Amino acid sequence: MAQLLSLERCDVSYGPVRALTGVSLDLQPGEIVGVVGALGAGKTTLMRALAGLVQPSHGSVRLDGEDITRLPWDARARLGIVHVPAGGGLFPTLTVAENLMLAEAPQSNGERRVRLEHMFPLLVERRRQTAGSLSGGEQRQLAVARGALSRPRVLLLDEPLLGLSPVTGATVMRLLTQLGREGVAILISEERPTDDLRALAGRLVGLRAGHVVGAAEVMPAFPGQVAGGGDLERVEVEMVGLPLSTRDRRALQTIAQARGIPVGRLIAELAHRHTEENAEEWE
Ligand code: ATP
């Protein structure tokens, strides 16, 4: 089948930091592809390169076979490439209803919005609340709903399941499955090849230090972890104790980079110190 969106041998750098090297990826209509990788592996950059938010220094991006490498993000959005960043990309001072309104095509009969409101009751219950005052998980629901409402041909979702309750996560997965059946190509990132992601995606791609690898080869985020192992969640919770927000994780990446050590080592050191301090308290 013809490729809908493809990235061909792309390199992307932020100043001296190389984030992607020779990365190729194809998406067909209706296909759901999972991209997995540890913190800093390049998942966000891959999404941003497809969305037109960063320019590759080498390689190309194609939509329906046409070269769109130099097309800015807003033009790509008009062509149906919809990007839902990890932070949601919402307008925090606008209400839930207003955020949805901006995504809905003017000629829409509202059918799609009503369907989404049935799936996510929050969209009705909190319609007058500002998006910025929603919890992280609620913002994520609104962001995914908004992405679905904007009639995408390609939906790029950066860690949309992070922090969602199992029930809400299942609803998001049901929505994505429906969109896939309607022909939308979906790229969804997660740190690990979780059971949910395996159930949802027809195919998984791994990223490690900006290179494409097999999904089973993604670098473990913490020493002692085994990729794909069922113990990952338990080890992480025990060692760090707190789930990290996206902002925390960015800060850790910056600190690790400044110290010239891998982010996994920095987290392991912090976790070690945290555990020792707790141990002292308990003695
Ligand atoms: P996460 O799961 O934390 O979002 P990721 O897999 O999405 O990680 P990216 O955010 O794409 O990874 O980052 C890839 C590399 O590029 C990392 O080394 C990161 O520190 C670096 N990087 C990302 N954004 C910037 C930026 N704006 N300036 C400098 N370096 C950056």
Side-chain angles (χ1 to χ4, degrees), residues 224-245:
Q225 287 186 346
V226 185
D231 283 340
L232 295 184
E233 213 59 42
R234 187 172 58 76
V235 172
E236 183 175 343
V237 171
E238 279 178 5
M239 286 179 72
V240 181
L242 286 172
L244 296 169
S245 71

Side-chain angles (χ1 to χ4, degrees), residues 90-172:
L90 300 167
F91 296 96
T93 56
L94 298 186
T95 64
V96 167
E98 288 165 339
N99 267 282
L100 288 176
M101 208 186 294
L102 287 176
E104 200 167 14
Q107 71 276 22
S108 164
N109 62 8
E111 188 192 314
R112 192 173 268 245
R113 181 170 37 78
V114 170
R115 202 174 79 186
L116 287 162
E117 286 172 349
H118 272 118
M119 294 185 101
F120 300 100
L122 158 109
L123 301 180
V124 180
E125 289 159 11
R126 308 290 187 86
R127 61 190 315 279
R128 287 182 221 289
Q129 191 173 327
T130 57
S133 65
L134 297 174
S135 75
E138 289 165 350
Q139 290 190 18
R140 206 157 267 126
Q141 289 174 59
L142 174 57
V144 171
R146 201 178 65 156
L149 195 57
S150 57
R151 302 202 163 268
R153 293 186 70 203
V154 180
L155 196 50
L156 307 168
L157 299 160
D158 206 349
E159 303 197 52
L161 302 172
L162 192 73
L164 295 185
S165 71
V167 172
T168 313
T171 310
V172 169

Side-chain angles (χ1 to χ4, degrees), residues 14 17 19 38-45 159 249-250 253 257:
Y14 300 97
V17 180
L39 298 179
K43 308 179 294 295
T44 299
T45 305
E159 303 197 52
R249 291 177 1 192
R250 295 249 177 272
Q253 278 177 9
Q257 229 166 319

Side-chain angles (χ1 to χ4, degrees), residues 1-218:
M1 196 191 279
Q3 305 304 338
L4 178 51
L5 184 65
S6 58
L7 196 69
E8 289 164 12
R9 296 188 300 280
C10 277
D11 296 347
V12 177
S13 299
Y14 300 97
V17 180
R18 173 64 76 86
L20 296 179
T21 304
V23 171
S24 298
L25 181 88
D26 293 319
L27 284 172
Q28 293 181 4
E31 188 181 31
I32 303 182
V33 175
V35 54
V36 291
L39 298 179
K43 308 179 294 295
T44 299
T45 305
L46 171 61
M47 302 259 171
R48 290 168 64 86
L50 290 167
L53 293 161
V54 289
Q55 275 291 324
S57 53
H58 287 102
S60 60
V61 186
R62 289 178 183 276
L63 180 71
D64 297 319
E66 298 273 322
D67 192 329
I68 58 162
T69 316
R70 302 285 153 209
L71 210 57
W73 70 268
D74 50 338
R76 292 193 203 187
R78 282 194 293 277
L79 292 174
I81 302 177
V82 173
H83 177 227
V84 179
L90 300 167
F91 296 96
T93 56
L94 298 186
T95 64
V96 167
E98 288 165 339
N99 267 282
L100 288 176
M101 208 186 294
L102 287 176
E104 200 167 14
Q107 71 276 22
S108 164
N109 62 8
E111 188 192 314
R112 192 173 268 245
R113 181 170 37 78
V114 170
R115 202 174 79 186
L116 287 162
E117 286 172 349
H118 272 118
M119 294 185 101
F120 300 100
L122 158 109
L123 301 180
V124 180
E125 289 159 11
R126 308 290 187 86
R127 61 190 315 279
R128 287 182 221 289
Q129 191 173 327
T130 57
S133 65
L134 297 174
S135 75
E138 289 165 350
Q139 290 190 18
R140 206 157 267 126
Q141 289 174 59
L142 174 57
V144 171
R146 201 178 65 156
L149 195 57
S150 57
R151 302 202 163 268
R153 293 186 70 203
V154 180
L155 196 50
L156 307 168
L157 299 160
D158 206 349
E159 303 197 52
L161 302 172
L162 192 73
L164 295 185
S165 71
V167 172
T168 313
T171 310
V172 169
M173 285 172 49
R174 207 168 65 241
L175 170 63
L176 299 181
T177 305
Q178 274 180 14
L179 291 172
R181 287 204 192 107
E182 290 167 16
V184 179
I186 300 173
L187 186 66
I188 174 168
S189 76
E190 284 287 313
E191 263 174 41
R192 304 188 197 98
T194 58
D195 291 344
D196 279 351
L197 189 62
R198 285 181 192 283
L200 185 64
R203 177 158 70 89
L204 293 182
V205 172
L207 271 183
R208 188 170 64 193
H211 294 262
V212 171
V213 294
E217 296 172 54
V218 294

